[in-house]
Amino acid sequence: MNKSNISGILIFLSFIVSIYSYFFQKELLLLSGMFAWSAFILLFSTLGNKKFLFILFILSFFAFMICFINDYKIDYIKVFTVNQYLLTLLIGVGFLRLIATPKKTKVKELPKGEKSFLKTYFGVHLFGSVINLSSLILVADKMYKKANLSSLQVVLLTRAFASDAYWSPFFVAFAAAITYAPNLNTFVILVNGLFLALIGFLITYMEVKKDKDFNIDEFRGYPISFDTLYLPFILAFLVLLTHSIFPDIKVIVLISIFSISLTFLVLPIKKSFFKAKIKFKNHILEELPKMKTELSLFLVAGMFGIIVGSILLGLNLTLPFENFDWFIASILLAIFIILGFIGIHPIITIAIIGDFLSGVNHTLLAVTFLMAWSTTVSTSPFSGLNLTIVARYNFDAKEIFKLNLFYAFKMYIVCTICLFLLAKYLNL
């Protein structure tokens, strides 16, 4: 058994202990965090780009020294566990790939035209909302196998996937939002997010129809089988039903529990008990270590955010506004997006200001987080999505930025209008 396998076991133990500690013994959350950090240490040497993590570590050290010299209080348990439930959701939802990944169908020639565009868009979006980047890679691999990705294919892939961040409770963005704005209204978040995802699609559809350079009639897509799509809807129904009966239980915990429970239940039925056992084992030992990039980013960013937050609290800074309304939220959204464009991941920005803004309306704050995440992911050359497309499919990062920049501006205007309407609805 190698280091990667051991780290997979540690990540799984972190998941189990997080769930157990939530219901039975809160103090054990620190142990869960230690398992996650141990896995990170084991996987550190295998990480591709460590420069960014080193920068965060150095900044965290200097921030710690400022706290130490000025006797600012640091919540050390939070330092190691602040993003633990976010990671728990990421681990739990990862198991859904065993049962919700669409079947790979062999096609001699990729289907062409507007109908293919629509089916591919919704396929990437709907499956991406559950199995995340795996859905995009599944489709993009098929496209790239036939020819280099076209501008229209990249527009579809980036926007269809990124718009999941507006609403999907199975997405990391939602987990981050609920971690730093736990008192949000889930129903409002979902309705607002689905509306934004729909607007994002309509803007994209009108753009590609109007722009002759895209030539939608020659678009080559990949048809995803929708056979397993009922599973996420069952999961969503179970989560919402349980949350309505037990409103005190975190949605993020319910999603994690039902994700792995549904997998344990369905996989043996689909594959037989023996094959299911092998797949579970392989997922823990081989697949969980592959989330090393997300693991490292969320752990280190969480640590950095808590220490910087301790400085802000120690300085007794007051919020530079009296009311957190739509206007302030729109300014915050613009700052988030600009920072994302220059390479600062949304999770870092959220981690830094999350505690500082804990006293404002959590629903409006969470919506702002999700808007920033989605807009940044689709357009920023530094987002994990676009870095994947650049590295895996040899597409120019600057070209992705140019293709989606005006779309990002349009979505910012739409998001600002939504913030205004939401603030009125919330009486802010």
Side-chain angles (χ1 to χ4, degrees), residues 219-231:
F219 173 82
R220 297 280 181 176
Y222 177 68
I224 295 182
S225 169
F226 287 81
D227 293 348
T228 57
L229 198 58
Y230 68 92
L231 290 167

Side-chain angles (χ1 to χ4, degrees), residues 47-339:
L47 288 168
N49 187 5
K50 304 183 188 71
K51 183 180 177 181
F52 186 63
L53 289 177
F54 278 126
I55 291 171
L56 281 181
F57 272 124
I58 292 168
L59 291 174
S60 297
F61 174 75
F62 281 117
F64 171 77
M65 291 306 297
I66 291 171
C67 289
F68 181 76
I69 291 168
N70 292 282
D71 200 27
Y72 296 152
K73 185 182 177 183
I74 300 175
D75 187 336
Y76 290 103
I77 293 178
K78 253 191 168 183
V79 165
F80 296 106
T81 63
V82 64
N83 284 335
Q84 197 56 45
Y85 289 118
L86 191 157
L87 286 171
T88 301
L89 178 130
L90 193 65
I91 297 163
V93 168
F95 278 92
L96 288 176
R97 293 174 196 164
L98 296 174
I99 57 172
T101 301
K103 295 176 183 176
K104 293 182 180 180
T105 53
K106 291 183 179 180
V107 287
K108 291 183 180 180
E109 190 176 358
L110 295 175
K112 188 171 72 168
E114 187 175 332
K115 187 177 178 182
S116 175
F117 175 87
L118 294 171
K119 190 169 183 181
T120 305
Y121 188 102
F122 286 113
V124 171
H125 181 75
L126 292 173
F127 279 103
S129 70
V130 183
I131 60 172
N132 295 322
L133 205 56
S134 300
S135 72
L136 181 140
I137 291 172
L138 171 68
V139 173
D141 279 356
K142 291 293 182 181
M143 290 176 171
Y144 190 63
K145 198 173 182 181
K146 300 294 181 183
N148 288 335
L149 294 183
S150 67
S151 294
L152 181 52
Q153 287 173 327
V154 170
V155 163
L156 181 148
L157 291 168
T158 52
R159 298 185 191 181
F161 177 74
S163 56
D164 283 318
Y166 285 128
W167 67 273
S168 175
F170 312 113
F171 222 69
V172 177
F174 185 89
I178 208 168
T179 297
Y180 292 95
N183 298 321
L184 56 81
N185 185 316
T186 307
F187 179 75
V188 171
I189 297 290
L190 290 175
V191 171
N192 181 81
L194 286 167
F195 174 74
L196 284 171
L198 176 61
I199 296 297
F201 162 70
L202 292 174
I203 289 174
T204 300
Y205 183 58
M206 287 188 288
E207 276 184 13
V208 301
K209 284 275 285 183
K210 186 178 179 181
D211 194 332
K212 299 300 179 186
D213 290 337
F214 283 132
N215 195 3
I216 194 172
D217 292 330
E218 293 299 317
F219 173 82
R220 297 280 181 176
Y222 177 68
I224 295 182
S225 169
F226 287 81
D227 293 348
T228 57
L229 198 58
Y230 68 92
L231 290 167
F233 286 105
I234 291 174
L235 180 60
F237 173 75
L238 290 171
V239 170
L240 292 173
L241 178 65
T242 308
H243 186 61
S244 66
I245 300 170
F246 304 103
D248 292 336
I249 302 178
K250 289 178 183 284
V251 172
I252 197 171
V253 172
L254 290 175
I255 295 170
S256 305
I257 293 171
F258 281 123
S259 293
I260 194 167
S261 300
L262 200 62
T263 306
F264 275 127
L265 181 67
V266 173
L267 193 60
I269 296 172
K270 292 179 70 174
K271 300 287 185 182
S272 83
F273 181 80
F274 180 72
K275 287 183 179 178
K277 183 181 174 183
I278 294 173
K279 280 190 169 290
F280 278 125
K281 182 181 177 182
N282 181 67
H283 186 82
I284 292 169
L285 297 180
E286 304 295 336
E287 296 302 317
L288 288 185
K290 290 180 182 179
M291 59 177 283
K292 57 190 176 185
T293 304
E294 295 93 335
L295 177 76
S296 58
L297 178 61
F298 296 151
L299 289 176
V300 180
M303 174 185 70
F304 177 61
I306 290 298
I307 298 175
V308 171
S310 299
I311 295 175
L312 296 176
L313 292 172
L315 291 170
N316 290 317
L317 294 177
T318 56
L319 294 174
F321 47 84
E322 289 186 8
N323 296 311
F324 184 69
D325 57 10
W326 70 273
F327 183 69
I328 299 298
S330 66
I331 294 173
L332 185 64
L333 174 60
I335 294 170
F336 268 53
I337 293 170
I338 292 167
L339 290 175

